[in-house]
PDB file of all heavy atoms in Angstrom:
ATOM      1  N   LEU A 206     -11.264   1.738   9.289  1.00  0.00           N
ATOM      2  CA  LEU A 206     -10.850   3.120   9.002  1.00  0.00           C
ATOM      3  C   LEU A 206     -10.316   3.204   7.578  1.00  0.00           C
ATOM      4  O   LEU A 206     -10.633   4.118   6.816  1.00  0.00           O
ATOM      5  CB  LEU A 206      -9.765   3.580   9.984  1.00  0.00           C
ATOM      6  CG  LEU A 206     -10.197   3.800  11.441  1.00  0.00           C
ATOM      7  CD1 LEU A 206      -8.976   4.108  12.307  1.00  0.00           C
ATOM      8  CD2 LEU A 206     -11.223   4.941  11.535  1.00  0.00           C
ATOM      9  N   TYR A 251     -12.034  14.816  14.725  1.00  0.00           N
ATOM     10  CA  TYR A 251     -12.051  13.500  14.086  1.00  0.00           C
ATOM     11  C   TYR A 251     -12.087  13.614  12.560  1.00  0.00           C
ATOM     12  O   TYR A 251     -11.560  12.765  11.850  1.00  0.00           O
ATOM     13  CB  TYR A 251     -13.281  12.704  14.522  1.00  0.00           C
ATOM     14  CG  TYR A 251     -13.089  11.954  15.818  1.00  0.00           C
ATOM     15  CD1 TYR A 251     -13.977  12.124  16.872  1.00  0.00           C
ATOM     16  CD2 TYR A 251     -12.037  11.058  15.983  1.00  0.00           C
ATOM     17  CE1 TYR A 251     -13.821  11.427  18.062  1.00  0.00           C
ATOM     18  CE2 TYR A 251     -11.868  10.358  17.164  1.00  0.00           C
ATOM     19  CZ  TYR A 251     -12.762  10.542  18.203  1.00  0.00           C
ATOM     20  OH  TYR A 251     -12.593   9.848  19.358  1.00  0.00           O
ATOM     21  N   ASP A 253     -10.500  15.404  10.667  1.00  0.00           N
ATOM     22  CA  ASP A 253      -9.187  15.625  10.037  1.00  0.00           C
ATOM     23  C   ASP A 253      -8.123  14.628  10.486  1.00  0.00           C
ATOM     24  O   ASP A 253      -6.941  14.816  10.206  1.00  0.00           O
ATOM     25  CB  ASP A 253      -8.709  17.056  10.342  1.00  0.00           C
ATOM     26  CG  ASP A 253      -9.674  18.080   9.775  1.00  0.00           C
ATOM     27  OD1 ASP A 253     -10.090  17.899   8.614  1.00  0.00           O
ATOM     28  OD2 ASP A 253     -10.047  19.016  10.506  1.00  0.00           O
ATOM     29  N   PHE A 254      -8.513  13.601  11.207  1.00  0.00           N
ATOM     30  CA  PHE A 254      -7.521  12.608  11.646  1.00  0.00           C
ATOM     31  C   PHE A 254      -6.919  11.862  10.451  1.00  0.00           C
ATOM     32  O   PHE A 254      -7.621  11.605   9.460  1.00  0.00           O
ATOM     33  CB  PHE A 254      -8.200  11.582  12.574  1.00  0.00           C
ATOM     34  CG  PHE A 254      -8.192  11.964  14.028  1.00  0.00           C
ATOM     35  CD1 PHE A 254      -7.940  13.260  14.444  1.00  0.00           C
ATOM     36  CD2 PHE A 254      -8.441  10.997  15.002  1.00  0.00           C
ATOM     37  CE1 PHE A 254      -7.936  13.600  15.793  1.00  0.00           C
ATOM     38  CE2 PHE A 254      -8.448  11.316  16.349  1.00  0.00           C
ATOM     39  CZ  PHE A 254      -8.200  12.618  16.745  1.00  0.00           C
ATOM     40  N   ASP A 255      -5.636  11.478  10.598  1.00  0.00           N
ATOM     41  CA  ASP A 255      -4.990  10.702   9.529  1.00  0.00           C
ATOM     42  C   ASP A 255      -5.480   9.253   9.544  1.00  0.00           C
ATOM     43  O   ASP A 255      -5.663   8.661  10.608  1.00  0.00           O
ATOM     44  CB  ASP A 255      -3.466  10.680   9.729  1.00  0.00           C
ATOM     45  CG  ASP A 255      -2.875  12.032   9.402  1.00  0.00           C
ATOM     46  OD1 ASP A 255      -3.504  12.784   8.633  1.00  0.00           O
ATOM     47  OD2 ASP A 255      -1.786  12.340   9.942  1.00  0.00           O
ATOM     48  N   ILE A 256      -5.606   8.705   8.364  1.00  0.00           N
ATOM     49  CA  ILE A 256      -6.023   7.299   8.212  1.00  0.00           C
ATOM     50  C   ILE A 256      -4.773   6.412   8.318  1.00  0.00           C
ATOM     51  O   ILE A 256      -3.728   6.751   7.756  1.00  0.00           O
ATOM     52  CB  ILE A 256      -6.701   7.116   6.832  1.00  0.00           C
ATOM     53  CG1 ILE A 256      -7.958   7.989   6.732  1.00  0.00           C
ATOM     54  CG2 ILE A 256      -7.026   5.653   6.555  1.00  0.00           C
ATOM     55  CD1 ILE A 256      -9.030   7.718   7.770  1.00  0.00           C
ATOM     56  N   PRO A 257      -4.850   5.274   9.038  1.00  0.00           N
ATOM     57  CA  PRO A 257      -3.694   4.377   9.156  1.00  0.00           C
ATOM     58  C   PRO A 257      -3.156   3.973   7.770  1.00  0.00           C
ATOM     59  O   PRO A 257      -3.938   3.704   6.858  1.00  0.00           O
ATOM     60  CB  PRO A 257      -4.256   3.160   9.894  1.00  0.00           C
ATOM     61  CG  PRO A 257      -5.479   3.667  10.593  1.00  0.00           C
ATOM     62  CD  PRO A 257      -6.029   4.787   9.779  1.00  0.00           C
ATOM     63  N   ILE A 272      -3.324   3.253  17.639  1.00  0.00           N
ATOM     64  CA  ILE A 272      -4.232   3.855  16.635  1.00  0.00           C
ATOM     65  C   ILE A 272      -5.663   3.919  17.188  1.00  0.00           C
ATOM     66  O   ILE A 272      -6.345   4.936  17.103  1.00  0.00           O
ATOM     67  CB  ILE A 272      -4.206   3.043  15.315  1.00  0.00           C
ATOM     68  CG1 ILE A 272      -2.814   3.069  14.690  1.00  0.00           C
ATOM     69  CG2 ILE A 272      -5.245   3.582  14.344  1.00  0.00           C
ATOM     70  CD1 ILE A 272      -2.633   2.111  13.504  1.00  0.00           C
ATOM     71  N   LYS A 275      -6.067   6.555  19.850  1.00  0.00           N
ATOM     72  CA  LYS A 275      -6.161   7.899  19.286  1.00  0.00           C
ATOM     73  C   LYS A 275      -7.567   8.149  18.727  1.00  0.00           C
ATOM     74  O   LYS A 275      -8.170   9.199  18.959  1.00  0.00           O
ATOM     75  CB  LYS A 275      -5.118   8.056  18.176  1.00  0.00           C
ATOM     76  CG  LYS A 275      -5.187   9.409  17.518  1.00  0.00           C
ATOM     77  CD  LYS A 275      -4.030   9.697  16.586  1.00  0.00           C
ATOM     78  CE  LYS A 275      -4.302  11.004  15.884  1.00  0.00           C
ATOM     79  NZ  LYS A 275      -4.218  10.935  14.448  1.00  0.00           N
ATOM     80  N   TRP A 276      -8.085   7.164  18.027  1.00  0.00           N
ATOM     81  CA  TRP A 276      -9.398   7.319  17.380  1.00  0.00           C
ATOM     82  C   TRP A 276     -10.566   7.200  18.363  1.00  0.00           C
ATOM     83  O   TRP A 276     -11.727   7.262  17.950  1.00  0.00           O
ATOM     84  CB  TRP A 276      -9.559   6.292  16.258  1.00  0.00           C
ATOM     85  CG  TRP A 276      -8.929   6.745  14.966  1.00  0.00           C
ATOM     86  CD1 TRP A 276      -7.648   6.539  14.573  1.00  0.00           C
ATOM     87  CD2 TRP A 276      -9.554   7.491  13.915  1.00  0.00           C
ATOM     88  NE1 TRP A 276      -7.440   7.101  13.336  1.00  0.00           N
ATOM     89  CE2 TRP A 276      -8.597   7.685  12.913  1.00  0.00           C
ATOM     90  CE3 TRP A 276     -10.847   8.010  13.725  1.00  0.00           C
ATOM     91  CZ2 TRP A 276      -8.871   8.379  11.732  1.00  0.00           C
ATOM     92  CZ3 TRP A 276     -11.124   8.694  12.543  1.00  0.00           C
ATOM     93  CH2 TRP A 276     -10.134   8.879  11.566  1.00  0.00           C
TER      94      TRP A 276
END
Side-chain angles (χ1 to χ4, degrees):
L206 290 174
Y251 275 126
D253 299 315
F254 271 17
D255 287 336
I256 298 301
I272 297 171
K275 178 170 174 233
W276 276 89

